[in-house]
Amino acid sequence: MENISDIEIIDSVLKGNESDFALIIERYKDRAFSLLSNMLKNKLDAEEALQDSFVKVFRSLNSFKRESKFSTWFYKIVYNTGLTIATNKKRNLRMQMNSIDEFYNLKSDDNKIYSTTENIEEYIAEIVNQLPVKNALAIILFYMDNFSLKEISEILNISLVNTKVLLHRSRNLLRELLLKHNYKEEIL
Amino acid sequence: MKDNYEELYNKYVDGSLTTIELEVVNKLLNEDEAFRAGLQAHKLVHNSLFKLPVIKAPMEISSKIMEKISTGIPEKYKKSYFFRSVVITFVVMLFFSFLLFVFSNGNVQSNEEVFSVYVKIQDFFKNIFIKTETLLGGNLIKTIGGVFGFLILLFFYFTLDEYKKFKKILKQF
C-alpha cells in the first residue's frame, strides 16, 4: 500500500471509491495530529480539528489543482482548521508573538523542564512544545514531515524569509539552552 | 560576531555553506573553542529534532472520519441552494415581466406587413394581460404573481437539491 502515491489514491476516490480515502487518513493522521496537538495544546480540540480537516479535504478533493504536492495542500487545510478551532474556542495560541525574543516564559519554565526530562531528545521535544506556535510548526514541518522551507511558507502563509528566520531562531534558542545546561559537557 | 557564528551554524547544518565559508568554519573550529562548542551543540539540536516524537492519533479516528464521510455531508459543509434559487427566480421573473411589458405595450410602433408575427404575439399577450386584469382585478393579479414567484423559487430550490442528491447516487455506482 505504501507504494501507491497520494495522487493515485485521490484519483481512485474521485472515481467513486470513497473507501480508499481511508488510506489517506492512515497515511497522515498521526503526523497531522502531532501538528494539531502542538498547535492547540489540547488533545480533544486536536482530535476535533483532525476530523474536520479530513472531512474538509475529502469534500474539497475536486478543487485540488495538483500545482503543489498533495501533502502541502493537505497541511494547509490542517493548519487553517487548527486556526479556526483555536479561534472558536478562544484559545490563546501566542500567535501574536512573531518573535521568539519575546518568549520570556520559557526562561522560567526551562529549568523545570530540564529537571523533569530524562534525555536530550525528550528535553528538546518539551522545549519545542513550549515555543511560539509558528516556531514550533516550522520545526515540526521541517523535521518531522520533511517539507522544504518554500513548502512550509506556503502552508503557514508567510514569506520564505520569515520561514527561514523562524527555523533558524528556534534552532539558535535550543542551542543556547543546551549550552546553558550540562549538555555542554556531553557535547565537548 | 555571535550573529555571524549563528549564520554559519545554520548554514553548516543545512549544507548550504559556500567554499569560502567552509574554510572560515574549518579555521574557527581549530582556533575558537566557543565556536566549536556552539557548532557541536547546534548539530546536536539538528540531529535531535529529527527524532521528535510523533503523537499517535486516537485509535478509532479513522473509522469516525469515514463514518462522517459516508453518512453524508455534515450540515456545516452543506452548500445552500437557497441563494442560488432566489437569483434564478429573480432572473426568470424579470424575463417574464420584460416579455409582458414588450408585448402588452400598445405604444410600440410596428409595421404590420413586416412584423405581422410580432403583432400577432403582441396581440396575444395584450389580450391575456387585459383579460386577466379585467377578470381578476389589479390587487389579485399581484397576489397571484407573488404566489407564482414563490412557487418558482421553491421549484428551483428543490430541483437543485434533488440534482445534488441524484449526482451523489450516480457517483456511488
Side-chain angles (χ1 to χ4, degrees), chain A residues 63-178:
Chain A
S63 61
F64 171 51
K65 293 196 174 71
R66 299 166 198 231
E67 285 159 1
S68 57
K69 277 179 5 193
F70 169 76
S71 53
T72 313
W73 181 76
F74 169 77
Y75 275 98
K76 223 172 169 174
I77 293 178
V78 170
Y79 174 65
N80 288 325
T81 309
L83 283 184
T84 310
I85 298 263
T87 312
N88 290 346
K89 309 261 175 181
K90 295 193 173 77
R91 294 237 181 276
N92 175 17
L93 280 185
R94 301 178 201 161
M95 279 294 178
Q96 299 83 352
M97 301 173 69
N98 294 321
S99 167
I100 203 165
D101 301 332
E102 297 165 33
F103 198 56
Y104 54 89
N105 281 338
L106 190 59
K107 286 177 183 164
S108 56
D109 292 344
D110 173 54
N111 288 330
K112 202 172 128 194
I113 295 167
Y114 179 73
S115 61
T116 53
T117 49
E118 286 178 4
N119 54 49
I120 186 165
E121 281 88 20
E122 207 180 299
Y123 171 67
I124 283 184
E126 276 302 315
I127 295 291
V128 168
N129 204 33
Q130 301 294 317
L131 290 176
V133 168
K134 279 196 175 170
N135 288 71
L137 295 188
I139 282 188
I140 290 171
L141 291 166
F142 188 81
Y143 286 99
M144 206 186 274
D145 300 296
N146 298 318
F147 281 114
S148 68
L149 289 175
K150 191 176 175 294
E151 287 166 335
I152 297 171
S153 71
E154 272 178 46
I155 294 168
L156 301 180
N157 198 24
I158 52 175
S159 71
L160 186 61
V161 176
N162 276 345
T163 311
K164 202 170 169 183
V165 168
L166 283 176
L167 187 71
H168 287 188
R169 285 193 178 176
S170 310
R171 279 184 197 152
N172 292 341
L173 175 90
L174 291 165
R175 184 196 64 245
E176 290 300 319
L177 289 172
L178 282 196

Side-chain angles (χ1 to χ4, degrees), chain B residues 54-147:
Chain B
V54 175
I55 305 167
K56 292 259 176 209
M59 291 286 279
E60 36 346 300
I61 196 92
S62 303
S63 52
K64 275 186 190 171
I65 296 166
M66 286 311 288
E67 200 185 319
K68 269 192 179 183
I69 288 168
S70 60
T71 52
I73 311 160
E75 278 306 311
K76 58 180 166 177
Y77 302 120
K78 238 182 191 173
K79 273 185 191 170
S80 172
Y81 283 110
F82 185 71
F83 182 70
R84 226 177 283 185
S85 309
V86 170
V87 174
I88 293 172
T89 308
F90 180 73
V91 172
V92 169
M93 292 196 72
L94 202 69
F95 177 71
F96 278 116
S97 308
F98 177 73
L99 280 181
L100 215 59
F101 171 75
V102 169
F103 290 114
S104 66
N105 193 342
N107 295 328
V108 175
Q109 298 294 317
S110 59
N111 183 336
E112 280 185 25
E113 285 173 10
V114 181
F115 299 112
S116 59
V117 179
Y118 173 83
V119 171
K120 277 179 187 171
I121 297 170
Q122 191 191 37
D123 285 344
F124 174 74
F125 274 96
K126 204 192 245 176
N127 284 336
I128 291 178
F129 190 75
I130 293 167
K131 277 179 187 170
T132 319
E133 204 173 25
T134 317
L135 274 172
L136 303 172
N139 285 334
L140 196 58
I141 198 168
K142 279 174 197 163
T143 314
I144 289 175
V147 172

